[in-house]
Amino acid sequence: MMKQKGKEGMIQEINIEADEWAEAVLLLQFRSYAVEARLIGFPDLPPLQDTVATLQQCGERFYGYIKQGQLAGAISYERAEKTVHICRLMVDPGFFRQGIASALIEFVCHQERNANEIIVMTGSANIPALRLYMNVTVSAKSNK
């Protein structure tokens, strides 16, 4: 298992095939993406439709940010040749504005430093996410 110290937490690889981890990620995902859904006015965001099974079968690589003994944030991505696509970035609302999302993105950028491109997508009305992505070395694409 790969681990790296974050600013005040630990980033570790998540075995999404393990039911316990998949359930923890799913709960985190629902809490985090519910906030985004309200921000952009789109209650049917695809991450809010996931199940433990769909997470376990998605084929993405997951890392979690552990803080105060709990899963405070997570990121998942896929890599195709020299391109990394960040599929999910989520932070528990109780841990917002603590640098967790930035730490997770920086971690993936470091892990995949030989990639030519790192891509992430978000809704054009998700101003906090757009600001975050503009502050890191990621090619941000907005879904309208």
Side-chain angles (χ1 to χ4, degrees):
M1 183 180 307
M2 190 173 305
K3 293 185 178 184
Q4 179 177 320
K5 249 334 202 174
K7 291 176 185 170
E8 295 178 28
M10 179 75 67
I11 297 174
Q12 69 179 54
E13 189 163 11
I14 291 174
N15 176 5
I16 201 67
E17 293 177 6
D19 288 345
E20 183 178 318
W21 275 117
E23 289 166 7
V25 169
L26 186 64
L27 178 60
L28 171 65
Q29 182 168 295
F30 286 165
R31 289 176 49 78
S32 180
Y33 281 97
V35 173
E36 180 175 356
R38 283 192 301 275
L39 270 176
I40 67 173
F42 185 63
D44 296 324
L45 280 176
L48 295 174
Q49 312 308 313
D50 268 321
T51 65
V52 166
T54 59
L55 282 180
Q56 291 174 321
Q57 296 165 7
C58 71
E60 299 161 18
R61 190 167 191 183
F62 284 80
Y63 287 91
Y65 191 105
I66 310 300
K67 186 169 184 175
Q68 299 170 357
Q70 71 181 76
L71 184 61
I75 192 167
S76 75
Y77 68 92
E78 297 173 321
R79 178 158 182 166
E81 297 178 17
K82 292 287 191 174
T83 299
V84 171
H85 176 246
I86 295 175
C87 304
R88 305 161 204 268
L89 177 62
M90 54 195 110
V91 175
D92 188 281
F95 290 98
F96 278 2
R97 308 210 41 85
Q98 296 182 30
I100 293 171
S102 295
L104 287 164
I105 291 171
E106 289 170 12
F107 177 82
V108 169
C109 289
H110 178 75
Q111 287 292 112
E112 300 294 340
R113 58 189 165 275
N114 66 343
N116 290 338
E117 183 176 43
I118 297 178
I119 299 171
V120 64
M121 295 177 68
T122 190
S124 60
N126 190 344
I127 302 305
L130 290 171
R131 279 194 203 118
L132 169 69
Y133 300 144
M134 293 304 161
N135 286 328
V136 294
T137 56
V138 174
S139 171
K141 293 190 178 179
S142 173
N143 272 351
K144 301 215 179 211

